[in-house]
Amino acid sequence: MADTKREIERKYEGPPAGGDAPLPDLTDVPGVSGVIDKGVAELDATYYDTADQRLATASLTLRRRTGGDDAGWHLKLPVSEGVRDEIRAPLSDTVPEDLTALVRSRIREAELVPVVRLLSARDIRHLVDASGTLLAEVSVDRVRAERLSGGAGSAEWTEIEVELADDGDPAFLDKVEKKLRKAGIKRSASASKLAKALDDTAPRKPEKAEKAEKSGKAEKAGKPGKAGKAGTTGKVADVSKATTKAAKPEPPDSTPRTAGDHILTYARAQRDAIVELDPAVRRDVPDSVHRMRVATRRLRSTFRSYGKILDRTVTDPIGVELKWLAAELGVDRDQEVLTEHLTTALDDLPSDLVTGPVQARLSTWSGARSSGSRQHLIAVLDGKRYLDLLTTLDTLVAGPPLREAASKKPEKVIAKAVRKDFEKVADLVGEALELPSGSERDLAMHDARKKAKRTRYAAEAATPALGDPAADLVKSMKSLQTLLGDHQDSVMVRGALRELSTEAHEAGENAFTYGVLYGRAEQRAAAVEAELPGEWEAIEDKGAV
C-alpha cells in the first residue's frame, strides 16, 4: 500500500557543479542550536511520464529512486507553492498500479515511459533546536541529468534544498531563507529537478526556427482574444466516440475580453477542477468527492445558462455525461447526509423522549441503503466512459463551439443570460409561495432551489466581467439556496422517518420517537416557509445584474 507524506520545501541555486560548498553558517538562524552533518547519500532516480510529458505539464512527478533512506516509488502531487504530497510505494520493476491510478486523469490510456535519469550526490545537514528536535533538513545536491526519451542530452548543476521537518512551522523556512539570501543564494528558477532536467536536456531547435517561433508567439500575444464562430471545424466529438488521446490543455492567450472569453475561462476552470480532484477522490481525501461533484454541476450549468455563447447542440450531450458523473459521485453521499441529519436530530432529543432501540434501528436502516460504493466509484474513474468524458472536455475547451454572440461584449450577452436565469427563479419562487403547504409546494420549492443553484453558478461565471452586481447575486442565490435546502432536508428527513417508523412498528418496537422527530422536522419546514417571503422580497429588491 502507498503512504503519503506532506513535503514542504524550498529550492535554491547553487554554484556550478564541482564548485565550492555553497552553504553559509546556519547556526546563526534563529531557533537553530546545532547543524549535524549526516554525510553524503548517492541517489539514483528515474522519472516517468508520457511521451508528450503530460505529468510534467501538470507539475506532477513520478520517479523510481534507489539510495538514501526512502528508496522506492514516489509520486508528488502539488498542493500549493513549495508544498507537495509525496505518495510512496515500495520498489518494484514496474510502475505500481496504485500510483498509475492516481495519474489516470492526466495520462488517460497513454503509456508511462522513462524520460529522465537523475544521479545526485546529496550532502545532508540537519538543523536542530536546543532539545535536539529536527527543524529542517538542508541538502546540497550535485546533480547529473541524462535524457532517456525525446532526446539524448545531459546536464549538470548544483542546488540547495531546505525541507521542513514533519509538523514544523513553515515560518521557519523564512528564517533560513533570510540567511541564505544574505549569503547571495537565490531561489531556483525551476520548480523541481525534473523541470530543470527536461529544460536543460531538451533538443535545441535551429537558431532560425527558434527566432521564428518566438516572433510568432510575440505577435499572437499582442492580439486581443477574439471569439470565433461556432462549428468552423465541426462540432465537438460525441462522448461515445471520443478518442482516448488527451488534448494538452491550452491556457487563454490573454485577459478575457469577449463574452466567449469569460465563459470559456470559467468552463476551463471547472474542467481543470475535475481533473485535478481525481487523485484526491481516489485517495478518499475529505470533501474531495463533494468538490468534484460541484465542479461537474457548475460546468453543466454553464452549458445550459450560456447557450447563446456555446452551441447547445454540442454541449447538451456532454451535459448528459456530466449529469451521469455527478450521480456516480453522489452514490451513498445523499444517504450519508440524510443519516447525519437524523443522527443529529436524535442526539438533540431529551433522553425521556427516546423510546425503543432507535439508534440501532437507524444504523441498520442506513447500512441497508449503503451500496458500498467506494469500489464502484474507483471503477467509474478507471472506466472508458469517464476517461472519454475528460478527453471530450479537453477537446471542447481547445476548440469551443462558439456562437456568434460569443464575440460580443460580456456586459450585454452575459448579463442577459444571468437575468434570464434569475427570472426563472422568480417564477418558481412565486409559484411555490402561491401553493398551500404540502407535497406540491415541497416540489416547487425544490425546483426553485435547483434553479437558484444554476443562477448562482451563472453569476459566478459572470463576476469577472460584471463585477459587484454579479458577486452580490452570487451571495443572494447562495442564501436562497441554503434556505430552500433546509426545507428539502426536512422533506427528505420526514420521508425517512416514515420508513423507519413503519419498520419499527412491524418489528413490534415503540414508534413514538419517530413521531416526535417527524413533528420537529415539520416545524423546521414550516419555519422556512414562513421565512421565504421576506427572504425573497429582499432578493427581489436587489434584483439581478
Side-chain angles (χ1 to χ4, degrees):
M1 286 292 293
D3 60 355
T4 303
K5 179 182 182 297
R6 176 61 56 89
E7 178 184 84
I8 303 176
E9 68 177 17
R10 297 180 187 179
K11 297 180 182 292
Y12 302 87
E13 294 182 1
D20 295 334
L23 287 178
D25 182 7
L26 297 176
T27 56
D28 293 342
V29 175
V32 175
S33 294
V35 179
I36 303 174
D37 190 340
K38 304 297 288 186
V40 177
E42 299 293 335
L43 308 176
D44 186 345
T46 300
Y47 287 78
Y48 286 71
D49 203 340
T50 60
D52 54 357
Q53 297 178 13
R54 298 178 194 176
L55 299 187
T57 299
S59 300
L60 279 73
T61 60
L62 174 63
R63 73 187 178 201
R64 182 186 188 275
R65 190 168 78 180
T66 58
D69 59 4
D70 63 346
W73 286 91
H74 305 151
L75 171 64
K76 298 192 178 188
L77 304 173
V79 176
S80 58
E81 184 178 0
V83 182
R84 295 185 291 184
D85 278 342
E86 183 177 272
I87 302 169
R88 300 174 176 178
L91 276 176
S92 60
D93 293 335
T94 58
V95 182
E97 181 55 37
D98 285 352
L99 300 189
T100 301
L102 292 177
V103 298
R104 182 78 66 204
S105 66
R106 300 289 185 182
I107 67 172
R108 314 291 162 79
E109 299 300 325
E111 182 184 4
L112 289 168
V113 297
V115 291
V116 165
R117 184 185 184 191
L118 296 183
L119 301 171
S120 304
R122 170 163 290 182
D123 191 357
I124 305 169
R125 294 165 177 79
H126 282 182
L127 307 186
V128 298
D129 63 13
S131 66
T133 300
L134 179 65
L135 299 172
E137 180 177 285
V138 180
S139 62
V140 179
D141 294 343
R142 292 179 170 84
V143 186
R144 174 176 173 79
E146 300 173 357
R147 189 83 171 211
L148 301 178
S149 64
S154 64
E156 294 184 6
W157 72 89
T158 300
E159 72 176 36
I160 300 165
E161 282 190 9
V162 183
E163 182 175 348
L164 190 68
D166 293 346
D167 301 319
D169 182 0
F172 178 71
L173 295 181
D174 294 332
K175 299 175 182 178
V176 177
E177 178 163 316
K178 185 176 181 180
K179 181 68 175 178
L180 295 177
R181 286 187 177 277
K182 284 184 177 179
I185 298 171
K186 61 181 180 179
R187 287 274 195 107
S188 174
S190 299
S192 66
K193 286 185 178 66
L194 176 62
K196 181 172 178 58
L198 289 172
D199 185 57
D200 289 357
T201 65
R204 296 302 175 192
K205 297 178 181 179
E207 187 175 349
K208 288 184 178 180
E210 191 169 348
K211 286 182 178 180
E213 182 177 325
K214 288 181 178 179
S215 175
K217 286 182 178 179
E219 182 180 349
K220 188 176 182 180
K223 295 180 179 180
K226 185 176 181 180
K229 293 183 178 180
T232 53
T233 58
K235 296 175 182 178
V236 175
D238 188 355
V239 173
S240 63
K241 300 177 182 179
T243 175
T244 56
K245 181 178 179 182
K248 186 174 287 188
E250 292 292 340
D253 292 331
S254 60
T255 302
R257 290 179 173 81
T258 65
D261 290 339
H262 281 279
I263 299 310
L264 283 174
T265 296
Y266 187 77
R268 186 177 290 111
Q270 307 318 312
R271 184 281 311 269
D272 291 348
I274 294 170
V275 173
E276 291 166 6
L277 283 164
D278 180 291
V281 170
R282 292 173 186 270
R283 292 162 58 202
D284 204 16
V285 174
D287 202 40
S288 58
V289 171
H290 172 68
R291 290 166 58 203
M292 189 174 183
R293 194 181 187 191
V294 168
T296 65
R297 287 171 167 172
R298 281 178 167 142
L299 189 51
R300 181 168 174 257
S301 291
T302 299
F303 292 160
R304 298 178 71 186
S305 294
Y306 293 104
K308 293 292 185 181
I309 294 173
L310 295 171
D311 187 351
R312 286 194 59 174
T313 63
V314 177
T315 60
D316 277 357
I318 302 174
V320 170
E321 296 303 289
L322 289 168
K323 183 178 182 180
W324 160 78
L325 178 57
E328 294 289 2
L329 290 166
V331 172
D332 278 358
R333 175 56 183 163
D334 293 338
Q335 179 65 33
E336 289 172 6
V337 172
L338 181 56
T339 301
E340 288 172 7
H341 284 308
L342 288 166
T343 301
T344 300
L346 182 59
D347 290 342
D348 289 342
L349 274 185
S351 58
D352 60 345
L353 295 181
V354 181
T355 60
V358 181
Q359 184 60 64
R361 170 66 57 190
L362 176 57
S363 298
T364 301
W365 174 84
S366 178
R369 285 156 180 76
S370 175
S371 65
S373 62
R374 182 75 194 149
Q375 293 81 359
H376 173 75
L377 179 55
I378 298 302
V380 167
L381 297 183
D382 285 333
K384 185 176 185 300
R385 185 174 182 180
Y386 167 70
L387 298 176
D388 283 352
L389 172 58
L390 295 186
T391 299
T392 300
L393 293 177
D394 287 345
T395 304
L396 178 82
V397 298
L402 297 174
R403 300 184 65 187
E404 185 176 353
S407 61
K408 296 181 180 179
K409 293 182 178 180
E411 292 81 1
K412 293 184 178 180
V413 180
I414 293 179
K416 184 177 180 179
V418 175
R419 285 195 296 270
K420 184 177 180 180
D421 276 349
F422 181 80
E423 289 168 0
K424 291 178 180 178
V425 175
D427 290 342
L428 289 171
V429 172
E431 178 184 335
L433 292 175
E434 291 176 359
L435 292 170
S437 293
S439 59
E440 287 190 27
R441 173 178 268 199
D442 293 343
L443 182 59
M445 291 179 72
H446 183 47
D447 288 343
R449 174 177 174 261
K450 291 188 291 184
K451 190 64 67 176
K453 186 185 299 184
R454 174 174 156 183
T455 305
R456 172 187 167 189
Y457 295 154
E460 283 179 354
T463 297
L466 306 182
D468 289 344
D472 289 342
L473 184 58
V474 171
K475 294 177 182 177
S476 294
M477 291 298 100
K478 186 176 182 180
S479 176
L480 179 62
Q481 178 186 330
T482 299
L483 184 65
L484 295 174
D486 289 343
H487 186 274
Q488 179 63 15
D489 289 342
S490 170
V491 172
M492 299 302 294
V493 164
R494 282 178 281 159
L497 287 169
R498 281 192 292 268
E499 288 186 38
L500 285 162
S501 65
T502 299
E503 291 179 6
H505 177 74
E506 292 175 350
E509 298 167 5
N510 192 321
F512 170 77
T513 300
Y514 304 106
V516 173
L517 292 173
Y518 189 98
R520 289 191 168 198
E522 200 169 41
Q523 288 176 349
R524 285 195 296 274
V528 171
E529 293 180 21
E531 186 180 347
L532 180 59
E535 175 79 11
W536 179 245
E537 184 178 356
I539 291 173
E540 272 197 313
D541 286 344
K542 293 179 182 178
V545 295

